[in-house]
Amino acid sequence: MSDSASTAWNQGPHAGPWNAGAHRRCGRSPRRGLEIVAIILGFIWFWPLALAYLVWKMCGYPKYDEARAFFRDTFGRTAEDLFGSRRSTGGFGYTTSGNAAFDEYRRSELERLEEERRKLDEEARAFRDFVEELKRAKDREEFDAFMAKRRGNGPTNV
């Protein structure tokens, strides 16, 4: 190892690349030791709670709402896929009511709403294309004005 490669270690007794010269006492804080002992005892007496605490600690001590949103977003669809298939569904993910006339009405209404949603999605797509075309036209005008000015033709009406 060359001297130039180890310059970060040669700046003093507490200077290293990770502590940036901060003076710290040796060893870990006593809370860390107590926390480790509590986790071990938790695994001995009631392991699910200790495991939950360990996961919470590894996730960076998130707040309840953040953790709930994370698990809902991450595992919510999986739970629906796994446990949602146990219900009897009529094809659209709803439970049958037992009344054939009502189920037929609900199915037809859901199909109508799905068609409306498809129409709205198509209109939104067309509008995005329209706005993109407007942006391209404006960019083209600005570029043409820039090039005309650069060539020395003078400013153009923009």
Side-chain angles (χ1 to χ4, degrees):
M1 184 158 141
S2 68
D3 291 333
S4 62
S6 62
T7 56
W9 297 102
N10 296 329
Q11 296 174 357
H14 297 290
W18 292 284
N19 61 2
H23 296 288
R24 297 183 181 152
R25 63 187 178 96
C26 295
R28 296 182 175 182
S29 66
R31 289 184 303 176
R32 178 68 57 105
L34 292 175
E35 185 179 31
I36 292 171
V37 169
I39 291 172
I40 292 171
L41 291 176
F43 272 107
I44 291 172
W45 283 318
F46 193 66
W47 67 268
L49 186 62
L51 184 64
Y53 176 77
L54 203 56
V55 168
W56 181 63
K57 178 178 174 50
M58 293 299 182
C59 289
Y61 302 101
K63 295 179 183 171
Y64 175 73
D65 293 332
E66 295 171 349
R68 193 173 95 201
F70 170 77
F71 283 111
R72 183 184 63 238
D73 294 343
T74 306
F75 300 111
R77 185 172 176 111
T78 306
E80 284 179 15
D81 291 343
L82 290 176
F83 302 117
S85 62
R86 293 183 183 177
R87 297 177 296 197
S88 63
T89 60
F92 282 99
Y94 60 87
T95 307
T96 59
S97 67
N99 186 328
F102 178 74
D103 289 341
E104 178 64 27
Y105 166 74
R106 180 168 36 184
R107 186 175 52 74
S108 66
E109 286 296 309
L110 287 173
E111 287 173 358
R112 183 185 62 79
L113 290 173
E114 183 65 24
E115 183 61 32
E116 287 292 320
R117 188 190 61 78
R118 279 194 290 263
K119 287 179 186 177
L120 285 174
D121 287 345
E122 183 59 37
E123 288 177 2
R125 200 172 304 117
F127 182 71
R128 277 195 307 269
D129 293 342
F130 173 73
V131 169
E132 187 64 33
E133 188 60 37
L134 285 177
K135 287 179 183 178
R136 274 193 229 116
K138 183 179 177 190
D139 288 346
R140 174 54 64 186
E141 288 176 10
E142 290 174 353
F143 177 72
D144 289 342
F146 169 75
M147 291 304 287
K149 185 177 177 181
R150 186 174 177 155
R151 287 184 191 128
N153 295 340
T156 62
N157 293 335
V158 177

